[in-house]
Amino acid sequence: MSRSHDSHSPVPVVDNNFDASHKDLEKHSSSEPAFDINVSHPIVADKLARKLSARQVQMIAIGGTIGTGLFLGTGKSLATGGPASMLIAYFIVGSIVMLTMLALGEMAAFVPIAGSFCTFAGRYVDDALGFALTWNYWFNDAVSTAADLVALQLVFAYWDTGMPGWALSLIFWVVLILANIVTVRAYGEIEYWLSLLKVVTITIFIVLGIAVNCGGNTSHTYIGAHNWYIGDAPFVGGIGGFASVFVTASFAYGGTESIAITAGETANPTKNLPRVVKNVFWRILIFYILSVLLIGLNVPYTTPNLSSKTAAVSPFTIVFQQAGAKAAGSFINAMILTSVISAGNHALFAGTRLLYSLSVDNHAPKVFGRLNRNKVPYIAVIATSLISGLCFGASFIGAGQLWTWLQNLVGVSNQLAWTAIGVTSLRFRAAVKAQGKEHLLPFKNWTYPWGPRISIVMNIVIILVQGWSSFSPKFSAIDFVSYYIELVAMFVMYVAWKVFKKTKIVGLAEMDLETDVYTVGEEDLKEMEKEKGWKGKARSVLRWIF
């Protein structure tokens, strides 16, 4: 580790020249920051073990996002909105996430802590907003874990084994709890390989999807854009169908922003987080857009069980079946099964760190801030995992129906988080400028200020209109609640905490830009030097690929 856990810690300072006390190391290029290790600042939240490497963090970011939303959510999107609605919605939401990640990366590289954007909202906007957002997003991650465990039942139902779905969920629920109580390094390595398996699976799917579309299918016919012109395609369900796709797309992309939550356990975050933010999103966007395009081309929106109350079939499995043998469908279904487990694992990890942050920020009982000898918040793991017991409700109301409701809750929660990140980013940069500290930023958001503003406006519009289908053709109270209950919950928590604690919007001059700013130590500097030779460049290329 490069940080001590006392009450003071140095802060990185951007300069064009390397500090004279480090003459044994080569000078940094003018585009990279050097560091003044003589300035100290207080540490409040930065007490977790920094054991996650850049390789692990990048793959965890991909793994946390590519999961249930892509493998099953695309089926629901296709059935309710059609291929064109699905492609447009996923592109728009992907663009919003790109703007959000650039804004978040700027803040997380400067203050890399487990609370991330939730803690930033409290420090840079209003403590009441930080309180409401963190509790809301913690619930988001707990429900995401539940949604993934419910999805296990839907995917497992592909094989008629006779084993009850709730039993499978129970087994993996226990496995996830145990995996998150071990050291974070072990978690990172497990998640790395599971995430790599997802990337390989999607890569194979893209290649196979192109082949199937061009005639490499069981009927040996060229499909082309035929499925865009059948029935009501390419826009199914009118404006309601189009609007409803946004919440499933938001659910699918959700988790991208949670990469910043790993900042509290990332080695040399001032260097690695900007790299992750810039590289990971493009790979995710490519995977999503290409996958969604191929699904819309190859799978008819009328395919049975794309979205139902009792079962669901992944469009990925259908495309593999189109290519040939039944074994191909079983193979991809098994890959999807492991991917869903990985996504649930990541959601539980993120939720645990947020509950830990709530404790550190005095927004939750101190007991949730307790760490074991490996510096893992084990009580927060147990508490968060208990919420995921929602998955067992699937035994009574149908796994497909429950998963749809959970998906809506998580999707809206993601949109609220992205909106808050945009607002927080604007406040953060304004304060940095007002206090004359712009030169201290290890990474600058090149879309500021228009990027965060566009993100805020787009998110608000989508949040308000995506529940259209709950009103038309007839009003559905349950669907309405799943689309809008998050707004009520956020508002009530914000107002209650504001009244109870009498919080105020933080002024630019008094905004805390000191606490938990990361120290770049000797080990970090040596790692940077290793990357300058040909071996370092080769590792950088491999890291970008894998």
Side-chain angles (χ1 to χ4, degrees), residues 25 75 105 198 202 237 240 263 272 283 328 343 408 434 508:
L25 301 176
K198 294 182 191 182
I202 293 179
N272 290 327
R283 282 178 282 182
N408 289 348
L508 300 182

Side-chain angles (χ1 to χ4, degrees), residues 300-370:
Y301 78 91
T302 54
T303 302
N305 288 333
L306 279 178
S307 178
S308 71
K309 293 184 178 181
T310 56
V313 178
S314 169
F316 286 74
T317 303
I318 294 172
V319 171
F320 269 70
Q321 287 176 328
Q322 289 174 333
K326 173 79 173 178
S330 294
F331 166 76
I332 188 63
N333 214 60
M335 295 302 98
I336 293 171
L337 201 66
T338 60
S339 297
V340 170
I341 295 170
S342 172
N345 190 31
H346 178 74
L348 182 57
F349 171 87
T352 295
R353 271 55 187 178
L354 286 176
L355 188 53
Y356 164 80
S357 297
L358 282 164
S359 176
V360 170
D361 294 337
N362 297 315
H363 291 159
K366 289 295 183 184
V367 66
F368 296 122
R370 289 184 182 177

Side-chain angles (χ1 to χ4, degrees), residues 521-532:
E522 295 287 349
E523 292 181 9
D524 298 325
L525 295 171
K526 290 177 181 178
E527 280 298 315
M528 293 181 191
E529 290 303 310
K530 290 180 181 179
E531 295 184 5
K532 291 187 175 181

Side-chain angles (χ1 to χ4, degrees), residues 188-425:
E189 199 61 29
I190 293 171
E191 196 64 20
Y192 173 83
W193 291 107
L194 286 175
S195 298
L196 181 59
L197 183 62
K198 294 182 191 182
V199 173
V200 171
T201 299
I202 293 179
T203 302
I204 294 173
F205 168 79
I206 290 173
V207 174
L208 193 65
I210 295 173
V212 166
N213 187 263
C214 294
N217 49 61
T218 53
S219 59
H220 304 292
T221 57
Y222 173 72
I223 299 175
H226 172 74
N227 290 323
W228 279 55
Y229 302 106
I230 61 174
D232 295 330
F235 294 98
V236 177
I239 185 65
F242 175 67
S244 68
V245 177
F246 281 101
V247 74
T248 55
S250 298
F251 173 79
Y253 278 104
T256 313
E257 72 287 341
S258 68
I259 183 58
I261 294 174
T262 66
E265 291 157 282
T266 301
N268 193 6
T270 58
K271 182 75 174 179
N272 290 327
L273 283 177
R275 177 188 292 158
V276 168
V277 167
K278 288 184 287 187
N279 289 345
V280 168
F281 177 77
W282 292 109
R283 282 178 282 182
I284 291 175
L285 185 60
I286 290 171
F287 287 145
Y288 268 84
I289 297 304
L290 281 179
S291 296
V292 166
L293 175 62
L294 289 170
I295 288 170
L297 289 173
N298 293 331
V299 181
Y301 78 91
T302 54
T303 302
N305 288 333
L306 279 178
S307 178
S308 71
K309 293 184 178 181
T310 56
V313 178
S314 169
F316 286 74
T317 303
I318 294 172
V319 171
F320 269 70
Q321 287 176 328
Q322 289 174 333
K326 173 79 173 178
S330 294
F331 166 76
I332 188 63
N333 214 60
M335 295 302 98
I336 293 171
L337 201 66
T338 60
S339 297
V340 170
I341 295 170
S342 172
N345 190 31
H346 178 74
L348 182 57
F349 171 87
T352 295
R353 271 55 187 178
L354 286 176
L355 188 53
Y356 164 80
S357 297
L358 282 164
S359 176
V360 170
D361 294 337
N362 297 315
H363 291 159
K366 289 295 183 184
V367 66
F368 296 122
R370 289 184 182 177
L371 306 177
N372 62 18
R373 63 178 183 176
N374 295 319
K375 296 184 179 179
V376 173
Y378 65 102
I379 294 180
V381 172
I382 296 171
T384 304
S385 64
L386 290 177
I387 301 301
S388 63
L390 286 169
C391 68
F392 302 118
S395 303
F396 304 99
I397 63 177
Q401 183 64 66
L402 177 64
W403 186 70
T404 297
W405 293 340
L406 294 178
Q407 183 180 220
N408 289 348
L409 287 172
V410 174
V412 176
S413 183
N414 289 335
Q415 292 161 348
L416 290 172
W418 299 339
T419 304
I421 290 171
V423 173
T424 305
S425 173

